[in-house]
Structures are given as C-alpha cells and as structure tokens.
Amino acid sequence: QVQLVQSGSELKKPGASVKVSCKASGYTFTNYAMNWVRQAPGQGLEWMGWINTNTGTPTYAQGFTGRFVFSLDTSVSTTYLQISSLKAEDTAVYYCARAQGSVNFFDPWGQGTLVTVSS
Amino acid sequence: EIVLTQSPGTLSLSPGEGATLSCRASQSVSSSYLAWYRQRPGQPPRLLIFHASIRAAGIPDRFSGSESGTDFTLTISRLEPEDFAVYYCQQYGSSPYTFGQGTNLEIK
C-alpha cells in the first residue's frame, strides 16, 4: 500500500539545524510531487511548499524561503526537509503529504515529525 | 492568496445526529479544487473529499461535499464516535494552497 514514513522526533537548540526525512513506498516515487505542511502546537495546518520529485525543483510558500530547503534522493524514494538557524517558533509537527498527479490535494500523509526547539 | 474561513469554530453534537460544516473562500476556487480532511488527536490529517464533492477511497457515504459559488459544505450524516475530530478545508486551485482554520466537532 502507499505509505509515507517520516523520521523521528527531534529536540534542537536555537541556531541549530534539523533534517527531516520522508520515505515513500508502494508507488513510483517520481510520478507524484511531495508537499510539506507545518502544524504548530494546538494550531491549524500551514502549507510550506512542494518539490517536483521528477526534476528536484522545489517551490516554497511565502514565509518558508531562506531557512527551509526541500531535497530528495530518488535512489531511496525519500524526500527531505532541512531547517537551518532554528528558532523557538519553528517548534511544530512537520508532515510530508503526497500530491495527486497534477493537482495538489494530499493523500496520503506521513505520520508527522515533531521538531522541538528549546535551549 | 485565497483565504478560507471555516464555520463554526466548534460544533457540539451527539452521536447519531447530522453535522454541517462550512468553508467560505475569499475568491473563486478554480475548477472546484477544494478538499476536506479530518484530523483526530495525535494523528495526521486524512483526506475525506476532493474536487469539492468526490469521496476519497474508503470514506463512507455518510460524508458528502457540496459547493455553491465560493461556499463549500461538508455534511456528515449519522455521526459516529470516530467522527468527532477537527475538520479542515483546503483549496488547491491556486498557489499558495491554503487551509481553513478548522472546525472542531466535539461530542455534546
């Protein structure tokens, strides 16, 4: 079955970097774009952007440029989210979510990765 | 950017009752590109409806979606205990692909 499995929770200090992985299985990885969505504690969903898994080209939503980088390794069907210069306000659950062909509604979602930024 | 406003913020109902959740877009959503998701505590969101009215695989027919102009509605008939959760709408007609702020469907 189609599945996205993300890496485990992270605890980081302010100013550090973190890299979250999202491994896909059950389908042809390069046929579907991958999106990233952030959910701060007790808050709603915020779309961060997406990466074209065929070309590796990322697109970032406003507010997620500069410190946020999407990348991929097609040999292991994995997408990555790297966040640098971490701030307390980056504390959130980060989800990867597969697009559907040429349209960006999301199914399935990864289980989420909690990134906590605290000194 | 298309802003989606969901109402009500919280809906208190009993099992067996019907629920009506609303999502209003600040401008036209291209091609009816609107989805609904359910998120239970501690879990990722789950796709329920896409293209405004098409149920996702495995979603029971108690769930239905409709649209009228820039107003979108998710209707859940005969609420079951597992339906009590937070519901989000999302438009994917134009980037950025925005979400509504959510409706918390709670047990009365």
Side-chain angles (χ1 to χ4, degrees):
Chain A
Q1 75 282 21
V2 177
Q3 196 173 8
L4 302 176
V5 178
Q6 297 184 225
S7 49
S9 297
E10 302 268 8
L11 174 60
K12 296 290 185 181
K13 294 188 183 303
S17 296
V18 69
K19 193 169 188 177
V20 176
S21 66
C22 169
K23 183 173 178 58
S25 61
Y27 69 97
T28 302
F29 178 70
T30 52
N31 284 357
Y32 298 84
M34 195 68 73
N35 291 260
W36 288 93
V37 177
R38 181 171 76 178
Q39 187 168 39
Q43 301 300 308
L45 304 169
E46 187 175 17
W47 181 69
M48 301 173 64
W50 63 283
I51 185 165
N52 184 320
T53 53
N54 197 35
T55 65
T57 303
T59 299
Y60 302 99
Q62 195 171 6
F64 295 100
T65 56
R67 299 189 299 115
F68 300 83
V69 176
F70 308 148
S71 61
L72 55 84
D73 183 343
T74 57
S75 68
V76 290
S77 300
T78 299
T79 313
Y80 302 95
L81 163 65
Q82 184 163 358
I83 312 172
S84 58
S85 303
L86 283 162
K87 307 174 183 179
E89 50 264 41
D90 293 324
T91 294
V93 175
Y94 292 86
Y95 294 102
C96 58
R98 195 189 75 168
Q100 300 300 306
S102 60
V103 289
N104 255 334
F105 64 88
F106 310 138
D107 184 45
W109 294 59
Q111 83 275 21
T113 297
L114 173 62
V115 175
T116 303
V117 183
S118 174
S119 54
Chain B
E1 172 177 325
I2 296 178
V3 176
L4 299 178
T5 303
Q6 292 187 240
S7 61
T10 299
L11 186 57
S12 299
L13 294 169
S14 301
E17 292 188 296
T20 300
L21 286 68
S22 296
C23 174
R24 173 167 289 178
S26 61
Q27 56 189 277
S28 177
V29 176
S30 173
S31 303
S32 302
Y33 280 175
L34 187 115
W36 289 93
Y37 302 87
R38 175 184 63 202
Q39 186 177 32
R40 295 170 175 153
Q43 295 188 16
R46 165 80 189 271
L47 177 70
L48 301 173
I49 300 283
F50 62 95
H51 294 352
S53 62
I54 300 176
R55 277 188 303 277
I59 302 302
D61 59 8
R62 300 185 296 103
F63 291 84
S64 63
S66 62
E67 82 173 283
S68 176
T70 58
D71 291 334
F72 297 84
T73 302
L74 175 68
T75 302
I76 312 170
S77 61
R78 305 181 306 280
L79 285 166
E80 298 190 1
E82 60 267 27
D83 296 335
F84 292 91
V86 179
Y87 290 80
Y88 295 96
C89 56
Q90 177 231 347
Q91 68 80 22
Y92 50 98
S94 62
S95 183
Y97 305 124
T98 47
F99 291 90
Q101 82 279 16
T103 289
N104 180 25
L105 177 56
E106 64 175 25
I107 298 178
K108 188 175 181 180

